[in-house]
Amino acid sequence: MTASREVRLKRRPEGMPVREDFELATIDVPAPEPGEVQVRNLWMAVDPAMRGRMSEARSYVPPFALDAAMEGPAIGRVVVSGDPAFAPGDVVWSRLGWREVFNAPASALKHRDCTVLPEQAHLGIGGTTGLTAWIGLLQIAALKPDDVVFVSAGSGGVGSIVCQIARLKGHRVIASAGGERKTAFLREVIGVDAAIDYKAEPNLTKALARVAPEGIDVYFDNVGGEHLHAALAIANAHARFALCGMISQYNTTDAPTAPRNLMQAVVKRIRMEGFIVLDHLHREREFLADVTGWYRDGLLKQAETVHAGIDHALDAFFGLFSGDNLGRMMVKLA
Ligand SMILES: NC(=O)c1ccc[n+]([C@@H]2O[C@H](COP(=O)([O-])OP(=O)(O)OC[C@H]3O[C@@H](n4cnc5c(N)ncnc54)[C@H](OP(=O)(O)O)[C@@H]3O)[C@@H](O)[C@H]2O)c1
């Protein structure tokens, strides 16, 4: 038996989740059965979408079960293998985050090559976060030469990758984030052309108009609400909006008050398309070839904020909603 700790959902949160909604449980993991593999997680990541799975509402993935370890992307190392496809020491990706050690059927694991990308980058630039940015910008928003790109939550996991891909393809990039520390990071590390501190701006539409006098052609929406309102107001004719997420609404219990100008989508013939990365996993190989090449050439950085230990996994999750992270929010488990 191997002792392991795991974070369980105890009850379904109302509004912003609180610590009492969860439990850190200690369990004994037995030796794996034939066909199973035992993995010690090295890294896990937290996603805003996990908030949705804590509720019972119907969505594109089932809700988390109560009194069971939650799920989420993780990178681990094989400890014992009961399947010939995996050997001790192999680095593997799974959806079995929020726990230290687990047994799983081999089908739940994917090998990860860490010769170019470091381990944790497979949860960031080389993981579904990177794929979300890549597919959203290049396929959903159908980035074209000379497009001016606006990205909300630009300093976060997805946003910081969207900004970098748009920059390396030669576009003018405007990003928003909360606070001076983040706007400095966007300008100095991520390399955007203009950064808006939305928390310091009384009127986001005016702020966007100020830094985008030529309008915007692509909006990558991670936030919704007032950000979407501002983007609709400033967009050029035939702009494309990739609707990736609307984090400003994930913990609210009231109806949204913005956008109030959806008619702009008609007047300007804007194409707005929502997307879910899980529908695009078949393009992973092509995406990884791009990302690995850009990383090797120094054109794409893995930006991350790291908490240490499973007992701080909830701090990482709560931090997504208070904006504590620069880049991908992760937890180092071993
Ligand atoms: N469609 C898909 O398949 C898919 C896949 C992955 C992620 N997503 C979505 O992509 C977005 C970013 O996800 P991520 O994992 O990269 O998270 P992230 O951007 O690394 O972290 C969340 C960030 O959102 C910002 N934020 C939090 N509350 C906010 C509010 N009320 N108003 C404005 N900004 C707020 C915070 O930054 P500030 O300090 O700047 O406010 C925070 O750092 C989320 O909407 C997520 O749901 C979608």
Side-chain angles (χ1 to χ4, degrees):
M1 292 282 189
T2 304
S4 174
R5 292 176 296 169
E6 58 186 34
V7 182
R8 297 177 176 177
L9 184 65
K10 287 290 291 172
R11 64 179 187 199
R12 305 215 176 268
E14 303 259 338
M16 181 63 204
V18 293
R19 214 159 279 276
E20 293 69 33
D21 297 328
F22 307 91
E23 174 191 35
L24 182 62
T26 302
I27 58 159
D28 285 323
V29 181
E33 301 283 337
E36 281 188 338
V37 180
Q38 186 168 101
V39 175
R40 178 171 288 278
N41 274 333
L42 304 172
W43 297 90
M44 60 168 270
V46 288
D47 298 322
M50 289 168 176
R51 175 63 186 89
R53 294 191 68 186
M54 290 171 191
S55 113
E56 249 170 347
R58 229 178 120 218
S59 188
Y60 59 95
V61 274
F64 289 138
L66 291 179
D67 297 317
M70 294 187 289
E71 291 171 8
I75 290 289
R77 194 179 298 282
V78 172
V79 185
V80 187
S81 180
D83 187 286
F86 293 91
D90 286 356
V91 175
V92 292
W93 177 96
S94 78
R95 291 191 192 285
L96 296 167
W98 292 104
R99 68 203 83 192
E100 292 177 312
V101 179
F102 63 87
N103 291 338
S107 59
L109 307 174
K110 285 186 191 173
H111 277 110
R112 283 296 174 245
D113 176 356
C114 298
T115 46
V116 179
L117 297 181
E119 287 163 357
Q120 74 272 29
H122 292 284
L123 300 177
I125 53 174
T128 47
T129 300
L131 180 57
T132 303
W134 184 87
I135 208 83
L137 184 65
L138 303 182
Q139 180 179 313
I140 308 295
L143 189 67
K144 292 194 305 225
D146 302 326
D147 279 344
V148 175
V149 178
F150 174 45
V151 186
S152 55
S155 69
V158 173
S160 63
I161 304 171
V162 177
C163 291
Q164 291 184 81
I165 298 177
R167 279 297 301 137
L168 68 84
K169 287 188 171 283
H171 292 266
R172 176 165 159 74
V173 178
I174 298 156
S176 70
E180 254 177 55
R181 178 179 76 115
K182 292 194 167 187
T183 50
F185 168 78
L186 278 167
R187 281 190 301 266
E188 291 156 24
V189 180
I190 299 301
V192 302
D193 298 282
I196 300 171
D197 173 2
Y198 75 91
K199 288 185 177 166
E201 293 289 349
N203 184 318
L204 192 54
T205 301
K206 284 189 180 156
L208 185 57
R210 190 173 68 232
V211 294
E214 67 286 73
I216 59 168
D217 306 294
V218 163
Y219 173 45
F220 194 104
D221 192 15
N222 288 314
V223 169
E226 291 297 336
H227 274 85
L228 183 52
H229 183 95
L232 281 160
I234 301 307
N236 293 326
H238 303 289
R240 286 90 57 215
F241 285 20
L243 304 183
C244 174
M246 301 203 175
I247 194 168
S248 67
Q249 293 168 18
Y250 294 176
N251 292 309
T252 54
T253 44
D254 300 330
T257 54
R260 299 170 295 280
N261 56 352
L262 200 50
M263 182 62 190
Q264 289 299 304
V266 178
V267 176
K268 296 175 174 173
R269 289 85 87 202
I270 295 171
R271 181 169 63 74
M272 305 170 78
E273 185 174 339
F275 70 100
I276 294 295
V277 65
L278 302 179
D279 297 336
H280 302 276
L281 298 179
H282 59 281
R283 296 196 63 194
E284 191 178 51
R285 190 183 288 264
E286 196 186 337
F287 146 75
L288 267 176
D290 269 357
V291 160
T292 308
W294 292 331
Y295 182 80
R296 195 192 283 115
D297 295 344
L299 297 170
L300 182 64
K301 298 182 191 79
Q302 158 79 8
E304 60 195 31
T305 296
V306 180
H307 288 255
I310 193 141
D311 30 355
H312 291 287
L314 285 171
D315 297 331
F317 177 68
F318 295 148
L320 291 173
F321 300 99
S322 47
D324 293 350
N325 57 311
L326 289 174
R328 181 73 160 134
M329 185 70 109
M330 292 203 259
V331 185
K332 185 158 179 25
L333 295 175

